[in-house]
Structure formats: C-alpha cells, structure tokens
Amino acid sequence: MSNITNQSLSEILESIKSKKISSLELTQAYIKNIENAKKLNAFVTTTFDQALENAKKFDNKPNNEQLLSGVPLAVKDLFCTENVKTTAGSNILNNFVPSYESTVTKNLWNNGAFLLGKLNCDEFAMGSSNETSFFGNVINPIGDHLVPGGSSGGSSSALAADLTPATIGTDTGGSIRQPASFTGTVGLKPTYGLCSRWGIVAFASSLDQAGPMTKTVNDCSIMLEAMSGFDEKDSTSINKKKETYSKNLKDNIKGLKIGIPKEYRVDNMPKEIDELWEKGKKILKDLGAQLIDISLPHTKYALPTYYIVAPAEASSNLARYDGVRYGYRSQKGKDLIEMYENTRSEGFGDEVKRRILIGTYVLSSGYYDAYYLKAQKVRQLIKKDFDDSFTKVDAILTPSTPSSAFKIGEKTNDPVSMYLNDIFTVPVNLAGLPALSLPAGLDKQGYPLGLQLIGKALDEQKILNIGYAFEKNCGYKNEIKKWWS
Amino acid sequence: MSLDKEKIKHVAKLARISVDEAKVDSLTKDLNSIFKFIEQLNELNTDKVEPLTSILNQSLRSRKDEISDGKIREKILKNSPKKNEEFFVVPKVVE
C-alpha cells in the first residue's frame, strides 16, 4: 500500500476497517510524506510521537464503529490543542501551550481520529495568501511560486500534497473556500453556529466558523458530521439534533432550483472564470436541476462592510494580548502602558496591526455611527438579499474566487487588491450561511479553479448532495506532481 | 475623510500599539486606501434600515449561576511570561 496517502479519507477508513492497513502504517506513511515536504512549510508543529502512540493504541484495541476510526489528522494552528503549542501564526502566541482542547478538535478525537500536527496559517487568520504568518509563507503544491490561499493555507497545502487525509480550517471571510479553490480541494464553511467556536483563537466572532477541507464531497460530509454539534460553552452554538450527513448523501438533484446571481462578476475577471461557471451550470442542468436568474443587489457592498465589521471585532478580541497572562512580553518600556505598547507592537505583524487600527478607529468616539452602525445596516441588506432569493431557489451557484492562485509577493504591497480576492466568499459570512467550494476545472496555466454552492441556513445536506452529484459528473482530477520531495 | 499621521498616532495610542516613526507614512497610505474603499458604503441610503446585530434567530442563552469549574490557578498561571507563586507580575503601577 505505498500509495495509501493518495486516497480519499473514506477509502482510507475502509482500508483501516478491513485491516488492509494498520493505523500505525498509515501514520508512518503520512509522517514520511511530511518529512519530505518541508519546502511547503505547511506545518508549524508536528506531534509525531504522540500520533504513533495513538496509532498503536488503536491497533491494539481497534474500534471501527467511529466516524474517523484510527485516522491521523493535522489541523489549522488556530484550534487550541491541550498541551500542544497553539500559535495562530503569530509571534505573540509563539510560546502558548493551551491547557484545554477546542470543542471541534475534541469532537474529532472523540470520533476516533488523533492529532498529527498543527498547520500554518495567516496570522490570526487575517490574510488571503498565507503570507502574513510569523512562521513564513506556505507554498502551494501546484507550483513553487504560488500561494496556497489563506488564511487556511497550511491546511489546503497539506491536504493537496497528501500530508493529511483531511483537515479543518476556519472561515471568517473565505479562509476555507478560497484556499480550497486554489489547491483543487473541497472546502465547506458551515452555517454560523453549527460548529462550536469554543477554543478557537478568535478573530471576528460574529463571522468565524470552523469547517472541513477534504479531497472529496463524501469526505467533507464525514468530517462535518464528526466536528459539528451543539456546545454549551459557545453562546452562539445552535441547539439542534445532530445530522448524519454522510449516510444521507444522495446524488439525485432532479428538480432542484439553482440560483445564478448576476452580480457575481468583477472588472477584468478572466474569461476562464466565466467559462467555468457556464460549465457548472450545464452540469447541474443536465442532472435535472433548474437554473434561475436571481439578483443579490448589495453584493458589491459586502467587502466594504466586512472591512468594518471584521476589524472592529478583531480589535476587541485581540485586546486580550497584553503580555501579562500568556504569550509574548516585550522587555522594553519603563511602565505598564509602555510594556503593553511594545509587547503588541513586537508581537503582532503588520496586517494584524493594520486591522486592529482600523477596528479601533471605526469604534472610537464620534465615528461609531458613521462606520460600525452603517456597516451593520448594510449587513442587514445583504442578508435580506439572500433571504429574498431563497424563497425562489434551493441553492446558489457562483465562482469561488475571481482568479486562480496568484504568485507569492504579487499582492502584498496593496492591501485592497488582496482583500478583493474574497469578493465572492465574504457575503456568505455576513449572512451566516453555509457554502461549499468544489474543484471544477483548470485555467490555461493548469491551476485549479473552484465553484461555490451557497445554501440556506442549516441546509448543509442539500449543498453537499448537489456537490456530490456535481463531483461525479465534473471529471475534475487533481494530479499534482510531487516536485518538493 | 482622510486620516493624517497625527490621527493614526492617536488611534495607535488607543489600541496600545507603539508605531515606529519610520513606518507611519506607509501606514497612513495603506489605511487611507482601505478607508477610501470602505467609504463606498456612503452611496447607500440606510436611514430606514435596522442594524443587524445577530444573524441567529435565537437570543443568547442564560445559564444557571453556578460554579462549573475552579481551582485551576496553576493552569491559568502556566503560560504567564512573568509570575510569582500566585500572581501575574507586571511593571510597577503604583508608586
């Protein structure tokens, strides 16, 4: 079984169950891949010894009744892991070792998986290219000069390079879907409140949501099932019955109504994105779905709204990093205030500081109404656009991103052009809806492109079903040459 | 509106982030381009729109006012950059 790591999570689970491979052999195969892939810089921390112990424990006493029996998983370094360093990609948390486990990772371990390592990400999940991490850029396995997307760039890179069978990321404005699109993988941002935020390093609390990143839609449904669920410790967790997404996965989408929003395009959008969208529409139509033109008129205001709401919440969430209770502390400064100022100046990177300053400004005395209140009102209009459309359609199909993966360094000097990358993903976070990014084709350079399916709140099953049917008929194949090993 | 250097220094003070004098110019330029982008929202009339404060159709749950954990002082102090046996240590605040 030399190529076990090429396979999907569901195939791997089958191999474990039928004892074709042991959990230990599987874990060793991934460790070997990871050791050969240092060039990608996808990992901040590896937990190989712990993973090998857990694999042996599983093999000695296998329990195959669980969703993720005997599988090692690497996760984004934004999830707090008990006794394993958790950095959020930041210098300010470079020495932080949580004494607790996030609910979402605990759910994965309770379903039989165990930790393989922690994946690099943009600092505090603020970025679209994984270039803001204190631990350096992550490289896209598609090409050594390309970004893997962000902020879950370590997650997308590791998944596409076969360094983990599946992974989890977080998505505040597109941080799961955009990197999935850039690496030819599947990424789901669930409905706000479906997965607990407890134990995840906070960025923008009204937008943050954890979700799966996988090689197939079936894998995505398995991971979502394992990680989701009500949690008393998250005040915005939705209390509802747990769903069995993988068992209910169906590829019959006949009669479903798919909305096509006319506003999802930008100036100078490559022709290939339009062609990809057309291809997606045709596949769904051929499967018996009905295409309906819709309008989401406030789409162009989603990004400006996001760049008020997200920094405002971030400036408040990141106030906790004061060099007193945990994290980095500067040795400079003659009093307490100077200690704070130097700690935060040395501990945070440029993008994080920029966003804290934007957030502090829009919330400061005299400006609140002009910015934050205004943004909350526009957010209402954006949500209403979706509410109105979902009286007519079951799901909405759009491109995931306005371009394929861009070059490292291409957008670092122009924050607004970097932000524009999230133009098709951000509206969904503002409205709290679920959305799935699916690999759908390649551009003329051979780089992956994704399409996005947006669903009604808590309608994950439906977009997974549409994605499942789409995947079977799309013919997309991600063949990555392993140039790094 | 545009942000000048003095304003940015004031906001940085509020945010407790010291800003390197050499970086103030580029920061001013970046923040102004971001605010120019954000201010597209002024095109919209939102006088009659209710602000959206929560996207969930549920109000925040309340819990019983009971202690559910405790006696974890060591765990809490473990990650502190400077502590004595029972306390976080900070630079002198009171003369």
Side-chain angles (χ1 to χ4, degrees):
Chain A
M1 298 290 290
S2 62
N3 60 351
I4 180 86
T5 57
N6 284 338
Q7 296 178 10
S8 69
L9 172 68
S10 58
E11 288 167 324
I12 289 169
L13 285 164
E14 207 42 61
S15 296
I16 295 250
K17 213 173 192 172
S18 62
K19 299 212 155 67
K20 262 199 220 154
I21 189 167
S22 68
S23 175
L24 183 63
E25 288 169 308
L26 178 70
T27 305
Q28 284 165 335
Y30 279 109
I31 291 175
K32 195 172 154 229
N33 285 5
I34 295 165
E35 282 177 334
N36 286 330
K38 295 216 166 93
K39 276 182 201 156
L40 299 178
N41 197 30
F43 281 78
V44 174
T45 305
T46 54
T47 55
F48 294 158
D49 291 343
Q50 184 188 320
L52 292 167
E53 273 314 300
N54 279 314
K56 283 182 208 159
K57 243 189 254 170
F58 176 85
D59 290 333
N60 285 334
K61 217 180 151 193
N63 171 3
N64 284 311
E65 300 308 305
Q66 294 168 297
L67 272 169
L68 300 170
S69 299
V71 167
L73 292 177
V75 304
K76 185 176 185 177
D77 204 15
L78 208 68
F79 295 92
C80 286
T81 41
E82 195 173 354
N83 298 326
V84 176
K85 192 171 84 158
T86 299
T87 69
S90 182
N91 185 29
I92 214 158
L93 285 176
N94 197 3
N95 55 4
F96 177 60
V97 181
S99 57
Y100 50 88
E101 186 79 28
S102 82
T103 299
V104 158
T105 47
K106 194 179 259 175
N107 288 345
L108 298 178
W109 319 146
N110 287 343
N111 277 294
F114 50 85
L115 183 67
L116 188 55
K118 306 292 295 288
L119 297 165
N120 205 339
C121 57
D122 277 304
E123 186 178 7
F124 286 99
M126 297 178 192
S128 305
S129 63
N130 217 119
E131 293 170 291
T132 74
S133 169
F134 177 70
F135 303 97
N137 301 343
V138 175
I139 312 297
N140 190 331
I142 302 293
D144 64 359
H145 57 301
L146 297 175
V147 303
S151 68
S152 311
S155 299
S156 66
S157 175
L159 177 67
D162 299 333
L163 312 184
T164 181
T167 183
I168 54 174
T170 57
D171 190 316
T172 304
S175 283
I176 287 175
R177 291 161 287 156
Q178 185 253 20
S181 178
F182 279 12
T183 53
T185 54
V186 177
L188 174 71
K189 185 208 91 79
T191 305
Y192 182 78
L194 189 68
C195 296
S196 171
R197 289 184 293 109
W198 195 83
I200 302 174
V201 177
F203 163 12
S205 302
S206 80
L207 304 162
D208 294 345
Q209 190 49 206
M213 299 171 76
T214 57
K215 291 180 180 171
T216 69
V217 174
N218 186 17
D219 289 359
C220 190
S221 67
I222 296 170
M223 288 290 285
L224 181 65
E225 198 172 318
M227 70 194 285
S228 60
F230 175 64
D231 180 14
E232 235 170 35
K233 289 187 280 197
D234 173 358
S235 60
T236 58
S237 177
I238 298 173
N239 193 353
K240 66 184 269 289
K241 208 177 126 249
K242 225 172 136 55
E243 300 210 32
T244 48
Y245 300 105
S246 53
K247 214 169 76 194
N248 292 334
L249 202 59
K250 287 187 195 78
D251 63 1
N252 183 356
I253 61 163
K254 208 166 263 177
L256 286 186
K257 295 183 177 126
I258 309 291
I260 309 295
K262 65 170 188 240
E263 292 84 2
Y264 274 57
R265 43 184 66 256
V266 292
D267 294 341
N268 305 320
M269 189 161 85
K271 217 174 80 204
E272 292 153 312
I273 305 284
D274 265 321
E275 289 165 4
L276 183 86
W277 202 3
E278 287 305 318
K279 177 184 157 189
K281 289 185 219 173
K282 185 172 181 313
I283 290 172
L284 297 182
K285 203 172 165 202
D286 290 347
L287 288 165
Q290 189 187 342
L291 303 180
I292 295 177
D293 288 327
I294 58 167
S295 172
L296 298 164
H298 298 92
T299 299
K300 76 174 259 209
Y301 300 107
L303 260 185
T305 302
Y306 177 86
Y307 275 96
I308 294 172
V309 173
E313 294 182 11
S315 72
S316 164
N317 273 327
L318 272 61
R320 71 189 71 179
Y321 301 100
D322 57 5
V324 174
R325 291 155 301 158
Y326 46 82
Y328 173 83
R329 178 192 287 202
S330 172
Q331 298 308 316
K332 289 190 293 194
K334 61 180 188 315
D335 57 20
L336 185 63
I337 300 288
E338 283 190 8
M339 188 278 280
Y340 289 153
E341 290 177 339
N342 292 322
T343 291
R344 290 163 64 78
S345 179
E346 293 161 25
F348 293 135
D350 287 344
E351 180 62 24
V352 172
K353 282 189 248 188
R354 229 171 359 233
R355 296 205 199 182
I356 292 175
L357 294 179
I358 297 169
T360 305
Y361 178 64
V362 300
L363 293 176
S364 65
S365 173
Y367 297 98
Y368 180 88
D369 285 5
Y371 293 108
Y372 194 68
L373 192 69
K374 180 87 187 178
Q376 284 184 311
K377 288 179 169 192
V378 182
R379 190 173 178 184
Q380 185 79 273
L381 295 173
I382 290 163
K383 181 176 181 292
K384 193 177 172 299
D385 284 354
F386 281 109
D387 288 347
D388 291 347
S389 289
F390 278 123
T391 62
K392 288 173 273 185
V393 299
D394 295 290
I396 294 170
L397 180 75
T398 77
S400 298
T401 56
S403 76
S404 61
F406 47 87
K407 291 190 195 74
I408 293 164
E410 191 180 324
K411 296 180 196 277
T412 38
N413 291 325
D414 182 356
V416 173
S417 85
M418 185 70 92
Y419 298 170
L420 283 168
N421 230 277
D422 295 333
I423 196 153
F424 298 152
T425 47
V426 148
V428 164
N429 298 77
L430 292 168
L433 302 173
L436 178 68
S437 178
L438 297 160
L442 302 172
D443 70 1
K444 59 176 182 293
Q445 303 166 94
Y447 305 161
L449 296 169
L451 286 173
Q452 171 177 244
L453 281 162
I454 306 170
K456 291 178 205 173
L458 298 175
D459 213 8
E460 276 78 2
Q461 187 73 59
K462 197 175 282 161
I463 54 173
L464 285 167
N465 287 352
I466 300 169
Y468 189 51
F470 178 88
E471 179 184 66
K472 283 188 176 178
N473 291 277
C474 173
Y476 179 84
K477 217 161 160 37
N478 206 356
E479 274 160 359
I480 297 177
K481 210 175 129 240
K482 295 206 159 92
W483 52 266
W484 56 86
S485 60
Chain B
M1 73 155 287
S2 72
L3 283 160
D4 59 30
K5 286 197 230 175
E6 286 316 304
K7 185 99 218 166
I8 284 171
K9 284 185 194 165
H10 172 67
V11 174
K13 195 82 198 162
L14 293 176
R16 297 282 185 262
I17 293 176
S18 70
V19 179
D20 191 351
E21 197 59 45
K23 281 191 171 175
V24 177
D25 279 331
S26 68
L27 193 59
T28 308
K29 182 179 141 278
D30 286 343
L31 290 182
N32 274 306
S33 79
I34 294 166
F35 273 94
K36 192 170 154 247
F37 177 70
I38 286 174
E39 283 164 5
Q40 285 181 70
L41 295 187
N42 295 336
E43 298 165 22
L44 284 171
N45 183 338
T46 52
D47 290 350
K48 292 197 175 108
V49 183
E50 277 294 305
L52 187 148
T53 50
S54 169
I55 41 171
L56 291 170
N57 294 321
Q58 64 182 37
S59 48
L60 291 177
R61 294 183 307 276
S62 56
R63 61 167 174 79
K64 284 209 180 99
D65 189 16
E66 287 170 350
I67 295 169
S68 58
D69 62 4
K71 302 201 165 60
I72 52 169
R73 180 161 57 202
E74 273 175 33
K75 279 188 172 182
I76 289 170
L77 284 167
K78 196 185 74 175
N79 276 293
S80 175
K82 199 168 180 193
K83 60 194 169 242
N84 68 12
E85 273 163 38
E86 293 173 34
F87 301 100
F88 298 114
V89 176
V90 297
K92 199 160 152 189
V93 191
V94 187
E95 285 302 324

